[in-house]
Every structure is written in C-alpha cells, then in structure tokens.
Amino acid sequence: MSKTQIVSGGITDGTIATADIADDAVTAAKATGFGKILQMKSVMGTSAVSINSESFTNLTSMAITFSPVSASSIVLFQISASVNTDHGDVNQGMKYALRDTTGGANEAEITVSRYVSGSVDYVYDHPTVVVRKASWGAGTSKAWQWQGATVSGSNLIQWNRQSVFSTSGRATFSITEYLE
C-alpha cells in the first residue's frame, strides 16, 4: 500500500506561504533567473567638494565597503551628483574614478562633463554607472571610493552643488548586486 499523504510539518492548507519558509532556507545558490537583486548598499552625501587639479581626490561621503554574495554575480556601481565647471577656460570638465581602496587601483575612469568653448557647463544629478563581475570572490569585502579630477587644467570644479557655486546638493552612491 502506498502513502497518499506527506507529513506537512505544520502546513495546514496545502500551500507553502512565505511565513512557512525559514529565513535561511533559501540561498542565492537556489535563486534562479537573471536580474534578481541579491543586495544593495547606498550612501548619500551633502558636502560639496572643490576640485582644481588633474589629480584625483576623494569625493566626500562617496565610499562603501561591499562583500558580494556570489563571485559570478554582476555588480552595478552608480553615482549621481551635480557638477559645476568654471566657464572661464576652454577644454575644461570633470572626470570620475571608481577606486578599489582595498587593492589600491582605479576600476574605471569616466569623463562626465566637458566643454570646449567659453560657456558654462552645469550638469544636475548626472548619473554615472560602472558594471563589473564580482570576480573578487563571494564574502570578500572591498572598500570602494568615488574620486574626482579636472579633465585638463586647474580651473575650479564644484562637485555636488544644487546651483552654480551655491548650496550643497545631495549626491548618492549605490552598489547593487544582481544574480547573473
């Protein structure tokens, strides 16, 4: 004689609801399907930074220590902030660097604003994105820092301003890990 019922362990209605599953019962290894968010960390900064050098400098509050859940996942780094460039010079602009301060190397360098005439260049809430594979290993922490520099010359750039050379804005930096 075969059994026609399975012991349910407290499941009374024949369905398994979220409340019936233990918090640690489903792991990233069991989750399938590209694009699922595994985790996200973010910070917000309200301090402005004055930049007048081609050498990279840290952008205040734009640092996160992050440990991926899976070494095969995709990691999205995103920063959004206002950028004001000094309109008195030509061929001026700002560039970002995403720096791995744990290993001491720049992951990416990206020019976010540039102009070649004598007109003002103001970018408000400019999003910049870097995508990487989490190849440094699951559970391995790395400290990430956004930095800024001028594209050329030493004219003043104001990073994280709400309006031209006035009050500070609200910059954001987020790291989101996706299942590949």
Side-chain angles (χ1 to χ4, degrees):
M1 182 165 141
S2 65
K3 283 195 164 199
T4 57
Q5 291 187 347
I6 299 173
V7 177
S8 66
I11 300 170
T12 58
D13 60 1
T15 61
I16 300 174
T18 303
D20 297 325
I21 302 171
D23 290 342
D24 61 351
V26 179
T27 64
K30 295 291 182 182
T32 60
F34 174 76
K36 290 188 179 186
I37 295 175
L38 299 177
Q39 66 172 317
M40 179 183 175
K41 284 188 168 187
S42 65
V43 294
M44 184 177 73
T46 56
S47 297
V49 177
S50 298
I51 303 168
N52 61 356
S53 171
E54 292 179 52
S55 298
F56 284 104
T57 187
N58 288 345
L59 300 175
T60 307
S61 302
M62 297 294 105
I64 295 175
T65 299
F66 189 82
S67 301
V69 173
S70 169
S72 63
S73 60
I74 301 295
V75 180
L76 176 80
F77 301 86
Q78 184 170 357
I79 188 169
S80 181
S82 302
V83 177
N84 300 87
T85 56
D86 184 350
H87 63 278
D89 193 12
V90 295
N91 199 26
Q92 179 61 324
M94 183 192 161
K95 59 186 174 182
Y96 280 127
L98 176 62
R99 187 163 181 80
D100 166 13
T101 60
T102 310
N106 285 354
E107 278 291 311
E109 291 184 14
I110 305 159
T111 300
V112 292
S113 67
R114 186 176 193 129
Y115 66 90
V116 293
S117 66
S119 62
V120 69
D121 191 6
Y122 175 68
V123 181
Y124 184 70
D125 283 340
H126 185 278
T128 301
V129 175
V130 174
V131 178
R132 291 287 184 265
K133 195 89 152 149
S135 57
W136 64 91
T140 303
S141 290
K142 280 196 173 193
W144 298 96
Q145 171 74 55
W146 282 101
Q147 298 179 320
T150 63
V151 171
S152 64
S154 60
N155 278 357
L156 181 62
I157 292 175
Q158 295 286 350
W159 176 83
N160 199 25
R161 294 286 190 181
Q162 284 184 332
S163 58
V164 181
F165 299 109
S166 64
T167 59
S168 295
R170 286 184 171 74
T172 58
F173 170 27
S174 63
I175 301 176
T176 308
E177 182 179 9
Y178 295 92
L179 186 63
E180 183 177 40

